[in-house]
Amino acid sequence: WLQESSQCFSVGTASLEMVGGHAQNGTISPALLTSLIKQARTVEALLCTCSEHMCHLNHIHLSACWNSLGHLARGLGQALCDKENAKALESLVQHTLQTLSKQTAQARQLVNIAHGVARSGRGHTEKVLMKALAKSIKQCVSDCNPQELANAAWAFAKAGFLDTQLFAGLAKAAEVLKDNFKAQELSNILWAFATAGHADDKLFMALARAVEWSLDHFNAQGFANTAWAFAKMGVVDVQLLSAMARSAEWHFGNFNAQDLAQTAWAFAKVGHADAQLFQELSRLSEQLLGDFNAQGLATLVWAFAKAGQADTHFFERLARSIEKRLSNFNAQDLASIAWAFAKACQVDLQLFTALAKHAQERFNDFNAQDLVNTAWAYAKIGQLDVQLFSAIARSIECRLGDFNGQHLASIAWAFSKAGQLDAQLFKVLGKEARRRLGDFSAQDLANMAWAFANAGQLDTRLFADLAKSAERCLADFNDEELENTAWAFAKAGQQGLAKRLRQRGDAPLSAPLAHSDACKCGRIVVAGGGIGGAALAVALQNKGFDVVVLEADASFDARKQGYGLTIQRADAVQALGLSLVQDDTPCTSHYTFSAEGHILGAFGEAFRRGCSRRTSLEGAGRFAHIPRQTLRAKLVEQIHPGTIRWSSKLDKFSCWYDEDGSTCNGRKHKKNGVTVTLTDGSSIDADLLVGADGIFSTVRRQLGLAGDRLNYLGLIVVLGYVPTAGIEAFALSQHRIFETVDGVTRIYVMPFTASITMWQLSFPYAEEAARILAQDPAALKAEILRRCGEWHKPVPDLLSSTPLDCMSGYPVYDRSPLDPNVLRKPRVPTAKEKAQSKPQRRVTVLGDAAHPMCPFRAQGANQALTDAVLLADSLEDSVRRNGPQSGLDVALPLFERKMLSRSARVVLASREKAKELHSSLAIQPARKVQREAGIDMPELLRSLRAKSIGAHSAADPKGLDAVVAEVMDTSGLRETSVAMIAESDNLQLKGTNVVLTEATEAKQELKTHEVISRRMSTKRKAASLAERKQVLSAELDSDWWKTLTFDGYTGEQWEAWYAQEDRGKSSSVSSIPQPGSLAEEDKQRGAAKSDSTTVLPKKRKFNSKEDPDWWKTLTFDGYTGEQWVAWCTTQCG
């Protein structure tokens, strides 16, 4: 301030004769006035001085005055607005405005005034003053130094005065001076732009490097604020985040509770869940747990849940601390806490009970997202508080207009998942959903359709509208969404759409490419000969591309290559020309047991509704279970001889670009490629390099992706296999999958081959300890026996019988999903680059090299197979469209975006599954239900428990499946019973009844069909509920009859059969064949093919002469004749 004063006035005052601080002529020295302002120790004293000398205050004095006021007024709050101060303060504001209008103030004074106004807390009320300051600062922003730029931005952000032009000018000036900012200035300006919500990625990326270079100079608060700012603006600079995570340890000693919460939130928000960082954050947080305020606790628990750092002990400490101060949390905090504990799979019933009570008292303060989060959380953990859900429902109904499409889908999912079938809520949700269908993503559509179908709320108009939307985004559904949506539409009667959903596959992108065109693309080198690499070689060679596969192993059998796989992607397998039927080890049932052997879930072909119970294993299940080496061998068999180069490990690669000398349309051709160098020193020139070299990919590492790192999931997996065929003690593992859980440890047992059983055991373990344990098979075996030695049989025997050389362990890692822009940065080419047609980098990755995931959804190999087919199809299509030279460059970014978009959700879903399977959620009964079985699973489990049926029942002579199925059939637990059919309003059955009626009118040969016909006629005359709610109809789905099943064959197949039998005469679905007559015709002529894949049996199983009760077990659209007659009797009296 002395320096500023000396710019305009002489510091010396010897020439003035002072009397009480004034000159003899009644004026005051400017320097003395500045000194008086600075010496004021209270707001009152400062304002008194300013009021007494108001007419003498110039822009320098005002700068000093507002700066002092900012210091003195901190913490005063409303006291600054007391009557004694208000008049003086208003006079100061008016005088400041007059001075600003003269435009004599320089940048420094203007910024100091703005800074002081903001610090004094007057920024939000003095809008006119802030507007005048903004106008003046914009005119001289280029004169500001880094400190002034940071202070100006901070002041206007703090005041909530968000002048877009001003912030744009500040950003432009800051970019120019980015290398001159000090640590505190960087923290202030970044905080300001984030608080103001002024998105300027260019500025943040420019300052990111300055932050990285200055990390050692930040204090704890500045460090936390900087991390918060980047996260708040969604700017994910992985290089900076990695550097900040490494340097955080230097600041931890000075962190307070708020700094810890802010830092944890920032790293969680951007998905940079550095395990070491969060481990240290949790340790420090426990030490300072009593220092967190309510919002800090809510922020902290949200951050750890979002980051996937779910240490049970830490969450227990947080839960107890939260309980003590529940009355201090606001509505958003309560919702965030519930969401966080559910997300982390930490089912603390004591906490959730207390949260429910406090939430119900504050629902009026909940916003839309709070209600969604709360409903989702309680549904996720299975805490079905009826009063809570009822209160949420009523609150939602009162503010339905506040919810977007995603909210509506999430609410419907939560209430359906929780079994809270509030008819009134579903009615208003359905109405609102129809109005907002344009806002629904594919995931929202899937959730909405599943929720309404699962709740039995089969609103005809809603499903008709959902069907139209689903048709438009068929390609956007992932596998799980496809399955759920198909089931939902089938249940709602939209059979045609359900069929199209089930049949949707990744069809080839283009017609087959001539091999000569593919050969012009040059050589494609694939690094890695595992599942992904071998599959890619097959897919590319099928299309005529020249391929070389580099495999580090000396031979195919050089080392163990994994254990059993569950192949789910039939479309990819078929595209590769593979048949897995002969190698599949099928299973007819899947059980979940508690450690004591109680059944927690049962599903599979053995219990499927509408099918005669299987007595053999042929074709059981939807998935193929096959050893990894068997699948790999089938792929390698199809690869051209000499393609795989064994003992060839990639060491490094370098990309190059030159002219190949050829011309096209008068222009020289540019050639793009990559040179691959092997560890033996030899090299290969290629036009494309594909890294298929696994989770520790050398190719990926050398791509130099910023901040790329492995993410430890806190688990160790142990794998083993043991011969079990014919051993009575291992009966439970024969032709069956089972898993056993205790809330911490989990074992998954499945057939490996016809005579060998494979098991996978997993449990939480510290990372370094897991690495050490995995290297010691004896210690590993001792640890798993310690954990599972008292579990139900045959788990202990399976583990103890496994030889050490037949088991292995490894820590579980994945990587966060890649942003396509990180793998291949988008850029706008310059005019020179356009003229030169500079191509893209010819290197990409697939499989575990691109998106490694944990094994708990059995998706790793499936995703690799899909990647291989997708890349081959993408290259083929692009080469056909753009030619061999440009085709590869165009294809790569398209392939990467599709691959990473699909796999990202799988990686995250696998990570979520890992948490669930090793938490108390895993031991909740009926967590998974087989919809096709139509079983009331909770009631079934209670019945099984009451009858003492469990894992030990595998020793029963009838077999476990038969024992469980008998309970299903004799206890009235199948939802296909008369009561359950009536309860669901009979919507799905309506169309089928009409079909049956038409069939019996055409052929009245059997008494049972006559009865059904009369019942249907009576039913129509009575105008029953099912008549009013017809779902299967030509109006909604013209192909409704094609997918209805009659004795195991669809209407389309029956029509085709009759068309051929009648030598081309027209036939209709009403001409349903009668079992007796069909048997005689089959004997004479045999069944005819209805299409290229379906053949009706040559001899009918059901015959009225041989079996008078044939009609009781014949199925019509999934329901037996006996069930139909019972239903008709109930409906029509």
Side-chain angles (χ1 to χ4, degrees), residues 183-184 187 211-227 240-261 263 267 277 280-281 283-284 287-288:
Q184 189 61 48
S187 175
V211 170
E212 189 177 352
W213 299 329
S214 306
L215 279 174
D216 293 342
H217 302 289
F218 280 89
N219 60 27
Q221 185 181 20
F223 181 92
N225 285 343
T226 300
L240 173 63
L241 289 168
S242 299
M244 293 188 75
R246 291 193 301 269
S247 69
E249 60 183 285
W250 298 102
H251 303 283
F252 280 149
N254 299 317
F255 269 30
N256 59 29
Q258 183 179 355
D259 297 334
L260 287 170
T263 301
F267 278 87
L277 170 66
E280 189 63 18
L281 286 172
R283 185 184 65 80
L284 292 171
Q287 295 176 3
L288 300 176

Side-chain angles (χ1 to χ4, degrees), residues 5 14 20 40 162 164 338 372 422 465 512 565 660 704 711 801 964 1039 1101:
S5 299
L162 311 180
T164 304
V372 172
D422 188 303
D465 290 346
L565 302 176
D660 65 0
N711 176 45
S801 301
V964 173
D1039 294 331
K1101 178 179 179 181

Side-chain angles (χ1 to χ4, degrees), residues 36-298:
L36 290 174
I37 291 172
K38 293 177 61 178
Q39 291 174 10
R41 292 293 178 265
T42 65
V43 171
E44 289 76 11
L46 176 65
L47 292 177
C48 181
T49 299
C50 293
S51 297
E52 184 178 353
H53 304 288
M54 188 70 70
C55 60
H56 301 296
L57 297 178
N58 60 26
H59 56 280
I60 296 177
H61 298 131
L62 288 171
S63 173
C65 181
W66 282 107
N67 185 69
S68 295
L69 186 62
H71 283 285
L72 296 172
R74 294 182 67 183
L76 289 180
Q78 288 297 113
L80 188 61
C81 302
D82 290 347
K83 291 183 179 180
E84 295 79 8
N85 298 327
K87 185 175 180 180
L89 191 60
E90 179 60 27
S91 297
L92 180 62
V93 170
Q94 294 303 319
H95 187 73
T96 304
L97 287 170
Q98 292 174 8
T99 303
L100 291 176
S101 65
K102 299 176 183 179
Q103 299 184 353
T104 57
Q106 298 177 357
R108 171 172 292 216
Q109 289 91 46
L110 291 171
V111 171
N112 284 337
I113 292 172
H115 194 260
V117 173
R119 289 193 70 182
S120 69
R122 301 293 297 173
H124 287 279
T125 55
E126 302 296 345
K127 297 296 184 184
V128 176
L129 177 57
M130 295 303 294
K131 183 176 181 180
L133 286 166
K135 180 180 179 181
S136 298
I137 292 174
K138 280 188 283 187
Q139 295 173 356
C140 60
V141 70
S142 60
D143 297 331
C144 293
N145 62 31
Q147 182 183 19
E148 291 157 1
L149 290 172
N151 286 347
W154 183 94
F156 284 91
K158 182 72 173 176
F161 192 87
L162 311 180
D163 186 304
T164 304
Q165 290 184 346
L166 172 63
F167 273 92
L170 291 171
K172 185 176 180 180
E175 286 181 45
V176 175
L177 300 174
K178 63 182 184 296
D179 296 331
N180 300 324
F181 280 87
K182 296 179 181 178
Q184 189 61 48
E185 295 160 0
L186 286 167
S187 175
N188 286 346
I189 195 169
L190 289 167
W191 178 93
F193 272 81
T195 301
H198 187 88
D200 193 315
D201 289 351
K202 189 176 179 181
L203 170 66
F204 271 77
M205 297 307 290
L207 294 182
R209 302 286 72 79
V211 170
E212 189 177 352
W213 299 329
S214 306
L215 279 174
D216 293 342
H217 302 289
F218 280 89
N219 60 27
Q221 185 181 20
F223 181 92
N225 285 343
T226 300
W228 176 88
F230 275 91
K232 177 70 163 54
M233 298 309 295
V235 179
V236 185
D237 188 302
V238 182
Q239 181 176 326
L240 173 63
L241 289 168
S242 299
M244 293 188 75
R246 291 193 301 269
S247 69
E249 60 183 285
W250 298 102
H251 303 283
F252 280 149
N254 299 317
F255 269 30
N256 59 29
Q258 183 179 355
D259 297 334
L260 287 170
Q262 207 166 18
T263 301
W265 181 90
F267 278 87
K269 180 70 165 56
V270 298
H272 196 88
D274 186 285
Q276 186 175 349
L277 170 66
F278 274 89
Q279 184 177 358
E280 189 63 18
L281 286 172
S282 67
R283 185 184 65 80
L284 292 171
S285 297
E286 286 196 61
Q287 295 176 3
L288 300 176
L289 210 51
D291 297 340
F292 285 92
N293 59 21
Q295 187 178 15
L297 275 176

Side-chain angles (χ1 to χ4, degrees), residues 926-1005:
R927 287 290 295 175
K928 182 175 181 179
V929 177
Q930 179 180 354
R931 293 184 290 251
E932 297 91 337
I935 300 297
D936 183 351
M937 186 59 68
E939 187 58 37
L940 170 64
L941 298 181
R942 283 190 287 270
S943 297
L944 294 173
R945 186 76 174 270
K947 297 176 183 294
S948 298
I949 297 173
H952 65 277
S953 302
D956 190 290
K958 292 183 291 186
L960 179 60
D961 293 353
V963 171
V964 173
E966 184 177 349
V967 175
M968 291 180 182
D969 294 336
T970 59
S971 301
L973 298 176
R974 287 193 179 272
E975 293 178 359
T976 54
S977 65
V978 173
M980 294 302 293
I981 294 174
E983 184 178 334
S984 65
D985 287 342
N986 314 302
L987 294 181
Q988 184 183 357
L989 307 182
K990 173 64 174 95
T992 308
N993 292 333
V994 175
V995 175
L996 290 176
T997 303
E998 293 173 351
T1000 54
E1001 289 172 352
K1003 296 212 173 193
Q1004 301 288 329
E1005 298 177 2

